Amino acid sequence: MQREAIDMLLEFLNALALMISFVVLSTATVEFLSRVVSHTYLRRQPAPPARHAV
């Protein structure tokens, strides 16, 4: 009985760890892609003229 409870707990922790890794990996992927896109976009655009407050 105790062995089954431990197995269930380990299965739950395994699933939790898998979900956390998926979230971390997808967040990192989205951040990486957004950096690449913004870097490419900023490289392509000429710098706007600087505005000075009067």
Side-chain angles (χ1 to χ4, degrees):
M1 185 68 179
Q2 190 177 1
R3 178 76 183 151
E4 290 174 9
I6 291 175
D7 282 348
M8 278 180 59
L9 181 65
L10 285 177
E11 261 184 58
F12 173 74
L13 289 176
N14 230 351
L16 190 64
L18 193 63
M19 285 191 295
I20 290 172
S21 348
F22 178 74
V23 167
V24 167
L25 187 66
S26 57
T27 306
T29 305
V30 165
E31 180 162 348
F32 173 73
L33 288 176
S34 103
R35 281 180 189 228
V36 166
V37 166
S38 67
H39 181 71
T40 308
Y41 178 75
L42 288 175
R43 259 182 111 173
R44 233 183 266 164
Q45 296 291 324
R51 290 186 176 183
H52 299 287
V54 178

